[in-house]
Amino acid sequence: MEKQKVLLYGCGEIYAKNKYWISMIYDVVGVVDRKWEVSDAENGFYTVKKGLMRNFDKILVTTVHFEEIKKSLIDNYNISCETIIYFLDEFAKERRVSFGARNPDKCFYILRAHWQESSNGFYNFFNRAVRAYHYARKKGYELLIDMKNYYTEYAGSDNYGKYNVWEQYYAQPSQYSLEEAYCSKNVILSKFGTDWESERIGDIFEENLKIHEPFNKLGELYADSFMVTPILEKEILREKARMDWEGRKILGVLMRGTDFKRCPKGHPIPHNMDHVISDVLKRVKVEKYDFVYLATEDSEILKVFEQKIGEQLLYTNQQRTDRCDMPLMKVKFVRDNDGYLRGLEYCTVIEMLSACDGIIANCMCGGTMAALTRNGGKYKEILVYDDGFYE
């Protein structure tokens, strides 16, 4: 494809977390930043004045200070308004692109990790991937998932652009590779937004369904389309062996805590913990479960469950925290490759939750949705509390 020539404005964190997809779509002729007093033309870095002498079609602003920079370019350098574009606008629409001549009879739909995935857990993105797969199947597209060229905390700055972190945990739901798609003639790059889901999967989320039913339906259709990698399977088998899991009747319990205690707007309200534990103990007695498997990132919740459930309680060795003063993905653990390991631990937790005989969840968070989907409609009993959302 013939790429537009763009001059990037801004060389901070946002530039660093977006540079790979930008270079795929645009021909970058240079990077400017107003804090620079001297240009480094050999490496493509320029003062604003020098950079504006370059041959470009557009100026792509890669900083959150878009309006301020736009005004400065118009007022001080007589740059037309239409020439100045904002990096976030790229995610507001689907983009149809031709990256080469391969596979002219196929259309590839690339699900892109939005730049704000740094604030979202892996299964927030996974759930969108399953819905995107439903849409792609209806349209006859091949779905591929890109967490390589689009930044996430699971790759982190050290591994961003080097490998597709999605493929560390799950195989692509297509016989084609991401690399093959990026050499092909017909490619659609996804957009990001709540309207995307309502436009694409309204037939799954019908009215008057119980809160868990759409995810059961998605699981019945597509659980086998999202296969775990050997890396993830090895972790799951290791944890199951440690717990003496096989042949046991197990009730899975998901308890979302930490940053949800901050009452974040638009997020589900976790149900009262004492009430959840009471219901868990009742179901264990009535259904004669051997064990209760607890999926939680919250160390304080784990302590309470240990006290109440005792020796019947199972849980993985994932890193946990009781911090609720920041989004969970902003909490860092001191170890090498923390982002990747957190993803591996989280995927192990949810895959094991999906393998339980029944599930109780204190809210419909991303992990609950994913467990229901990955279970493929096999749970013998399901209880997901629905206490609404924080306003």
Side-chain angles (χ1 to χ4, degrees):
M1 68 173 177
E2 185 177 350
K3 299 180 180 179
Q4 276 191 321
K5 291 181 171 62
V6 298
L7 180 69
L8 303 186
Y9 196 125
C11 193
E13 183 181 11
I14 287 175
Y15 164 76
K17 291 182 176 180
N18 289 272
K19 60 184 179 180
Y20 287 104
W21 70 259
I22 290 173
S23 64
M24 289 176 59
I25 296 172
Y26 296 105
D27 179 8
V28 178
V29 300
V31 183
V32 303
D33 198 296
R34 56 187 170 183
K35 68 176 178 286
W36 293 336
E37 297 180 356
V38 179
S39 297
D40 179 6
E42 184 176 346
N43 292 305
F45 300 122
Y46 301 91
T47 63
V48 175
K49 185 176 180 179
K50 288 287 187 180
L52 292 175
M53 296 178 183
R54 304 285 294 167
N55 177 26
F56 58 85
D57 301 308
K58 299 285 185 180
I59 298 174
L60 179 62
V61 179
T62 48
T63 166
V64 294
H65 304 292
F66 175 67
E67 294 299 335
E68 178 185 343
I69 288 170
K70 180 179 177 180
K71 185 177 187 304
S72 173
L73 289 169
I74 294 170
D75 292 349
N76 299 327
Y77 299 99
N78 200 30
I79 303 295
S80 67
C81 178
E82 294 76 17
T83 302
I84 309 165
I85 56 177
Y86 189 30
F87 83 102
L88 261 188
D89 291 339
E90 173 62 33
F91 299 94
K93 61 184 182 300
E94 289 182 342
R95 177 187 281 269
R96 292 179 176 267
V97 185
S98 178
F99 287 103
R102 293 187 189 177
N103 307 301
D105 59 335
K106 295 288 183 182
C107 182
F108 296 93
Y109 194 87
I110 309 294
L111 182 66
R112 304 187 283 175
H114 187 254
W115 79 289
Q116 290 179 326
E117 294 298 340
S118 59
S119 300
N120 295 329
F122 179 84
Y123 282 106
N124 179 291
F125 187 71
F126 179 93
N127 293 322
R128 293 209 308 277
V130 176
R131 301 177 200 196
Y133 187 65
H134 177 68
Y135 167 67
R137 299 242 327 163
K138 288 195 300 181
K139 301 290 287 185
Y141 300 156
E142 292 285 338
L143 176 71
L144 289 155
I145 295 135
D146 191 347
M147 297 179 82
K148 175 183 180 181
N149 300 293
Y150 298 86
Y151 180 87
T152 73
E153 289 293 337
Y154 293 104
S157 57
D158 291 340
N159 295 313
Y160 169 47
K162 295 180 181 177
Y163 62 78
N164 190 350
V165 71
W166 171 273
E167 295 171 3
Q168 299 297 300
Y169 313 132
Y170 290 95
Q172 292 282 4
S174 171
Q175 63 179 323
Y176 295 90
S177 68
L178 187 65
E179 292 72 24
E180 179 74 7
Y182 282 134
C183 295
S184 297
K185 184 175 182 179
N186 305 302
V187 179
I188 301 173
L189 304 178
S190 73
K191 71 175 190 176
F192 183 90
T194 54
D195 61 329
W196 184 92
E197 294 185 354
S198 60
E199 289 171 2
R200 301 299 195 263
I201 54 169
D203 58 321
I204 291 288
F205 287 77
E206 303 165 3
E207 294 183 2
N208 302 318
L209 292 178
K210 293 181 180 178
I211 190 170
H212 67 270
E213 289 179 338
F215 304 99
N216 267 14
K217 188 173 181 180
L218 285 169
E220 290 170 0
L221 291 170
Y222 306 128
D224 292 337
S225 299
F226 291 82
M227 305 302 293
V228 301
T229 62
I231 296 171
L232 177 53
E233 184 177 24
K234 181 179 178 181
E235 284 299 303
I236 294 167
L237 292 175
R238 185 179 62 80
E239 285 286 0
K240 283 185 174 180
R242 182 180 65 82
M243 297 178 192
D244 192 21
W245 180 286
E246 295 302 331
R248 308 290 188 169
K249 187 175 182 180
I250 301 174
L251 176 62
V253 180
L254 184 142
M255 294 291 295
R256 187 67 166 84
T258 56
D259 53 337
F260 273 33
K261 298 172 185 175
R262 296 186 301 127
C263 308
K265 184 178 180 181
H267 288 70
I269 301 171
H271 195 66
N272 176 270
M273 180 165 56
D274 291 336
H275 189 195
V276 175
I277 292 173
S278 175
D279 282 344
V280 167
L281 292 171
K282 288 176 185 176
R283 300 314 302 162
V284 168
K285 183 176 181 179
V286 171
E287 295 297 327
K288 295 182 169 50
Y289 284 102
D290 297 311
F291 293 115
V292 173
Y293 169 73
L294 177 63
T296 186
E297 82 291 353
D298 193 306
S299 57
E300 290 298 323
I301 289 175
L302 174 58
K303 289 178 184 177
V304 175
F305 267 74
E306 285 181 312
Q307 294 168 0
K308 299 292 185 179
I309 307 298
E311 293 182 355
Q312 282 186 285
L313 187 69
L314 303 176
Y315 52 89
T316 71
N317 287 325
Q318 76 173 123
Q319 295 290 307
R320 294 181 176 85
T321 181
D322 60 0
R323 294 191 65 172
C324 59
D325 57 341
M326 64 176 69
L328 181 60
M329 283 306 299
K330 298 295 184 184
V331 179
K332 305 298 182 184
F333 299 107
V334 182
R335 54 180 173 171
D336 293 337
N337 218 3
D338 179 55
Y340 161 77
L341 290 173
R342 289 181 65 174
L344 185 62
E345 291 168 352
Y346 187 23
C347 290
T348 301
V349 166
I350 298 303
E351 284 293 328
M352 292 182 66
L353 181 64
S354 74
C356 292
D357 297 281
I359 184 173
I360 294 177
N362 69 343
C363 66
M364 184 57 86
C365 62
T368 306
M369 296 176 193
L372 290 165
T373 302
R374 294 294 297 140
N375 177 261
K378 298 174 185 175
Y379 282 131
K380 301 297 190 297
E381 62 176 322
I382 299 171
L383 174 57
V384 180
Y385 298 97
D386 183 8
D387 292 349
F389 295 85
Y390 291 116
E391 297 180 354

